[in-house]
Amino acid sequence: MKYTAVTNQIIQALCNLVGPTNIISNPADLGKYAVDEMPRYDPHLPGVVVKPHSTAIVSAILHFANQHRIPVTPRGAGTGLSGGAVPIYGGILLSTERMNRILEIDEANFTTEVEPGVTLDQIQQAVEAKGLYYPLYPGEKTATIGGNIAANAGGMRAVKYGVTRHFVLGIEAVLPSGEVIHSGGKFVKCSTGYDLTQILIGSEGTLAIITRAILKLMALPDKREVLFIPFNSLADAIGAVPAILREGILPIGIEFMEDDIVRMVRESANIDLPLPGYPAYLIIILEGHTEEEVLNTAKRVGAICQRYGAVDTYIPAGERARRRLLEAREKFYPTIKSAGLMELADIVVPRSCIADFIARVKEISLKHDLPIIAYGHAGDGNVHLHPFGRGIDRAEWNARLKSALHDLYQAGASFGGAASGEHGIGYDKKAYLSTTVDKATLEAMKAIKHTFDPNNIMNPGKIFDLD
Ligand SMILES: Cc1cc2nc3c(=O)[nH]c(=O)nc-3n(C[C@H](O)[C@H](O)[C@H](O)COP(=O)(O)OP(=O)(O)OC[C@H]3O[C@@H](n4cnc5c(N)ncnc54)[C@H](O)[C@@H]3O)c2cc1C
């Protein structure tokens, strides 16, 4: 692919557009923008970083980049796990960190309008101060809403609330030509032509830069309960999930895990979890409007799980113990990450297949002599798989990982799954997209990309390569 290199002349022209305090061009200061949180460290420096304050400046930058055929990589907080914000062709890295205003919280329409660089934490704090609720929690509160939308981030609460796509009512975005488009609005219904909001959600910065979003809000529930339930097998734990849902109980999260990760967190993160030594566990998170309501539901969930083989049910005594359970779950990823070489696949399968899929994962782990830790969202079928390479050198790790990943993605496809449930394809998983997306569908995606971005300047090399 032929792109124009970022020269001093180009930096000067960009400086004129964004102002000298909103640009970084000294190579020594660009390192932070060369990686995201993708576990395999593979840095690519941008030629220049620009930090626009407004849609008008984003528009001017894209117009300029398109005319000169310079690649543009959008970046929020860089917490993505698939290399989506890594500028693999160099060029311009467009950081939204200075577009960070909450423009409105509309209490009558239950909406908020935000700029893309606002973090999930800022949104949640601001709306909760008004008794409102943005319920999604895709794991990392420092992530920006622009990044959440571009990745269609999911998280633990998808079982009740769905994913980011279900909470975005409208979008303003800048096309590579510099034109500004608007779709959707402060309403739930809209049958007014093609739904560009939904096309841009999950597009990973390959079509346009999202510069504003209107999000749906709900009333803030007052009470929460968290259960920790041990089982004698993962199959029993997974078997209890449909039984809970069939009784009309809709937890906000149902997480599964096996003893290996629980032990690692207990030892490395020094979190004292109850009921040690069982093969599998569920963490179930409930919410409601009174203490009595959530406690009664918790007891019903415990009883259902016991019918399906649960050994016990731990209901924490207070908010501190509740918080500790959730903190333990949040420590899974950092704990594994600090243990050495590792990879993260987030394959999604129909939730009834989780136990069989994990049994297949264990065969793959043995075949390639590579430990693989599995845990994830039992309520929505999204399985996080961490092959890790303790005690082997990098060349051996790379070889084993490549063949293990091939088998894992094929296994996911054989259960009717998809290559990524929530982290996106980025460039980390490009090679596996075709395991679950057929040729005609891929061609339709490429045609959409070409319509939005005929010069292929928007985050090139992500999701798929253009021939
Ligand atoms: C500890 C940890 C836990 C996590 N847990 C979860 C989880 O449970 N569920 C989950 O879904 N994710 C999870 N993530 C991944 C990550 O937080 C999400 O992918 C998040 O959406 C990324 O947001 P960001 O602002 O960091 O985006 P970035 O990493 O900066 O960018 C992500 C993608 O969005 C594009 N992009 C960013 N802003 C824009 C914009 N304004 N317009 C167009 N494109 C844009 C980028 O080009 C890139 O392709 C976790 C990450 C960590 C580190």
Side-chain angles (χ1 to χ4, degrees), residues 14-28:
L14 288 167
C15 199
N16 294 341
L17 295 177
V18 292
T21 55
N22 299 313
I23 192 162
I24 304 175
S25 58
N26 181 350

Side-chain angles (χ1 to χ4, degrees), residues 170-182:
I171 276 181
E172 175 191 89
V174 181
L175 300 177
S177 61
E179 284 162 295
V180 181
I181 60 168
H182 299 89

Side-chain angles (χ1 to χ4, degrees), residues 220-410:
L220 182 65
D222 302 315
K223 299 291 170 211
R224 176 161 306 166
E225 195 52 271
V226 187
L227 286 73
F228 189 58
I229 308 179
F231 289 82
N232 279 322
S233 74
L234 183 64
D236 284 352
I238 299 302
V241 174
I244 297 167
L245 301 175
R246 261 199 315 269
E247 297 240 351
I249 298 169
L250 195 49
I252 60 170
I254 309 179
E255 297 289 297
F256 77 90
M257 61 226 65
E258 293 185 286
D259 186 44
D260 47 9
I261 181 65
V262 174
R263 231 178 323 114
M264 270 176 97
V265 167
R266 218 182 246 119
E267 286 159 15
S268 319
N270 206 13
I271 295 191
D272 184 23
L273 284 164
L275 304 169
Y278 290 100
Y281 298 85
L282 290 180
I283 289 179
I284 298 182
I285 311 163
L286 302 164
E287 65 186 10
H289 289 287
T290 67
E291 208 145 299
E292 203 188 356
E293 181 194 340
V294 282
L295 198 57
N296 282 340
T297 313
K299 286 179 184 158
R300 280 177 64 207
V301 169
I304 297 166
C305 287
Q306 274 176 19
R307 286 209 302 279
Y308 281 80
V311 185
D312 206 338
T313 300
Y314 170 73
I315 304 180
E319 191 48 37
R320 236 178 107 197
R322 229 170 266 141
R323 195 55 236 147
R324 202 175 57 218
L325 272 181
L326 292 175
E327 253 169 43
R329 169 63 186 84
E330 281 161 14
K331 289 271 190 270
F332 286 8
Y333 178 68
T335 301
I336 297 175
K337 196 174 175 194
S338 64
L341 294 171
M342 69 94 156
E343 169 63 314
L344 167 55
D346 83 306
I347 294 167
V348 62
V349 294
R351 67 177 167 233
S352 61
C353 302
I354 291 176
D356 290 342
F357 175 55
I358 301 242
R360 188 83 66 82
V361 167
K362 290 196 170 143
E363 289 165 14
I364 294 167
S365 164
L366 280 176
K367 176 178 160 194
H368 299 282
D369 191 17
L370 206 63
I372 302 177
I373 289 184
Y375 60 88
H377 311 305
D380 58 53
N382 193 196
V383 178
H384 291 343
L385 297 170
H386 292 282
F388 69 98
R390 216 179 257 164
I392 54 175
D393 68 32
R394 194 172 275 272
E396 180 60 25
W397 155 253
N398 285 338
R400 285 194 216 175
L401 181 67
K402 191 169 177 215
S403 27
L405 283 175
H406 172 269
D407 288 357
L408 289 172
Y409 284 101
Q410 290 294 341

